[in-house]
Amino acid sequence: MQPDPAPHAPPADPTARAAGQASFTALVAGRGLLYGGDYNPEQWPAEVWPEDVALMTAAGVNLVTVGVFSWGRLEPQPGALDLAWLDRVLDLLAEAGIAVDLATPSASAPPWLAVDHPETSAVNPDGVRMSHGSRNHFCPTSPVFREHVLRIVRVLAERYADHPALSMWHVGNEFGQVCYCDLCAEAFRGWLRQRYGTLDELNRAWGTAFWSQHHGRWSEVVPPRTAPYLHNPTQELDYRRFASDQLRDLYRVQADLLRELAPGVPVTTNFMGFFPLVDYRSWAGDLDVVADDWYADPADPRSPARAALTHDLMRSLGDGRPWALMEQATSAVNWRPHNLPRSAGTMLVDSLRAVAHGADAICYFQWRASVAGAERFHSAMLPHAGPDTDLHRSVVDQGAVLSRLRRVAGTRVDARAALVFDWQSWWAGRAPGSPSDRMDAVDQLLAAYEPLWREGIAVDVVHPGGELDGYDLVVVPGLYLVSDADAANLARVPERGGVLLVGPFSAVADPDAHVRAGRFPGPWAEVLGVSGEQHRPLPETGAQVRSDRFGDFRAVTWSELLRADGAEVLAWYADAGLAGRPAITRRLHPSGGQAWYLSTVPPSDVLARILRDCADAAGVHGPVACPPDVEAIRRGDVLFLLNHGVETRTVRLPFPATDLIGGTRTPGDLVLPAESAVALIEEDR
Ligand code: GAL
């Protein structure tokens, strides 16, 4: 028997979090929307800093993140601290009234730590230990790493807790690495013992009768390191759960210390949208302010929808509270193979989209472009060419625009539609050895989101076990894994009069990632009035589907052999071995609610018609009829209209309105030039 694992740090104390949330609210109430970016003064001589601060002030910057990668400058040799430069930087920022989001430098330890303590560096699945020389090379479990992290965190917190510039803590950076070292293996065993109690229960959950994987001793249990063929899917799923929890623990121990030494200062870290290695839902309760990094891809035509969905996820993770867009790029990034620049118009519209979807902070990576290092070709708020540039002028303009939107700061978005998403289901549904690698929950989510977004229907992104009573329309685009309790939670939607739409390959597995035996989707067959017996990925030619309601169409990727058991058949397959079998069904409930099932992937126009029907049935509508490329969303009492396209569009407004950005009053039709946005206060609404 192995010793008991060190207990994980408990979740944040609710009182401490409430204090952090209140300080963030007060910060925004005092300054209006926050605007700024990562500031890395350690890359520059001290003479540059006053110029930076002057230019920040001129650009309306009121928040900067300092110190994310400063550990090597703060502690160039073990225990030899140099903080005078940081004192000076924080003083300069405080004098200018610029708030500081001060980072703990745990994302990148100096080389001495890796050299003196090799076990602080992570090991990949092949057993190769990561070298220093880049960043994020740490092992999240290593006690030595944690000890050094907490030491430097204590130094920073004790020194700056009362500094007038300190407004927020930024713990580490983009937590997202997975380590497979022996320390992590031992911690994994501890995590499994807490989850399962006994080896017998672990063997049951992992289904180890398969391929002779039975574990007779805890010491035989290992992470899913490189192996000859497919891993045990439950082992993989548990390692993902563990790795996410382990990183969260590293966040928590830092956050706890900061909350103890600097009570009331909001604590956050930066998420990365639908990042596959961390279950942000399980982290959100530990952040006082949810913060996200969003790098729009100029080459991706779906980028505006992807951004809006990701922003809605962030707002939803924080239970609707304002969130922070912590990083984005003013123009090109350096890490795609071919880095396209962004236009000034896109940069502004993208920022305003984040505001419209609930962000109270709009920040960039980074303030001044680096001339050395791996990110020397990453755009910044102040480019290599200096302030006399189109790009910097657009940064200044953006500061002015954001300052006019004070009215939305602190307000909420009211959504009556919800999309269901769960990281653990996403992980399990993507495991190798599935019927198809083309059924990705995030793709399904985006496909279902786009039509609602185009209609201006506000959407929250919720957990299957979340509170659903406020939603008239609940869409489950793809939920491979679901617990009985969460399935029952969703089944209540049509039973209480709401509209539920369930997409293909859903409720297939239980939380152990075991396939639920019997006709699928097991826990929903009754509420949907339909059940199936076979998942049938489609050949490239797809399947013909006939429908009087939606028109005939060709479905792609996926089909299912179904039987209606009380549901109406709204569309049926005509070929692909399924002739006459249901493709889309709807069950009307006595409550007036509806339960729809979609067993395939229809073209986007058909999916849009399906979702419009569902939204109509739920009585959920957007604020105005939107022409193509125009997005409408109301936050608080401000109606944002964003034209992300390259053509001028006209929007018919139901009420005369005044634009907070341009200061102009619009009596009726509103002409929205390409790549532009308005923030309207409607009269008589
Ligand atoms: C983020 C990171 C920043 C910077 C940026 C470049 O992922 O947090 O430090 O590297 O990417 O786009």
Side-chain angles (χ1 to χ4, degrees), residues 58-82:
V61 165
N62 54 17
L63 176 75
V64 289
T65 300
V66 177
V68 177
F69 296 106
S70 292
W71 196 343
R73 217 17 229 281
L74 295 168
E75 192 179 13
Q77 285 299 300
L81 292 169
D82 173 10

Side-chain angles (χ1 to χ4, degrees), residues 5-23:
H8 272 169
D13 163 39
T15 318
R17 274 194 73 217
Q21 287 168 2
S23 317

Side-chain angles (χ1 to χ4, degrees), residues 178-257:
V178 181
C179 174
Y180 295 80
C181 76
D182 289 343
L183 293 167
C184 286
E186 187 51 27
F188 182 43
R189 288 177 206 117
W191 184 94
L192 291 167
R193 272 209 292 275
Q194 281 179 352
R195 184 176 177 88
Y196 296 114
T198 63
L199 262 184
D200 284 349
E201 183 54 16
L202 172 88
N203 280 311
R204 185 207 59 73
W206 284 19
T208 54
F210 184 80
W211 281 351
S212 181
Q213 292 173 347
H214 178 86
H215 295 100
R217 289 167 298 179
W218 281 101
S219 55
E220 296 165 15
V221 179
V222 290
R225 293 170 172 152
T226 302
Y229 189 43
L230 301 177
H231 283 109
N232 179 312
T234 315
Q235 175 202 22
E236 277 198 328
L237 178 61
D238 274 345
Y239 205 68
R240 284 180 173 273
R241 289 168 169 150
F242 159 77
S244 175
D245 284 4
Q246 198 68 357
L247 285 169
R248 188 185 60 195
D249 201 52
L250 178 60
Y251 167 87
R252 273 185 187 165
V253 293
Q254 297 183 65
D256 286 351
L257 186 58

Side-chain angles (χ1 to χ4, degrees), residues 38 69 135 173-174 270 293 295 327 333-335 365 375 378:
D38 281 60
F69 296 106
R135 64 175 178 185
N173 192 56
E174 294 188 335
N270 42 350
D293 297 349
Y295 286 93
E327 290 182 26
V333 298
N334 66 312
W335 41 263
F365 177 85
E375 293 178 329
H378 196 289

Side-chain angles (χ1 to χ4, degrees), residues 78 105 154 169 261 288 315 328 420 439 480 563 612 654:
R154 177 175 288 279
W169 290 113
L261 298 176
D288 299 343
R315 187 187 67 246
Q328 53 176 333
V420 173
M439 296 296 280
Y480 171 80
R563 178 179 75 207
R612 179 171 299 161

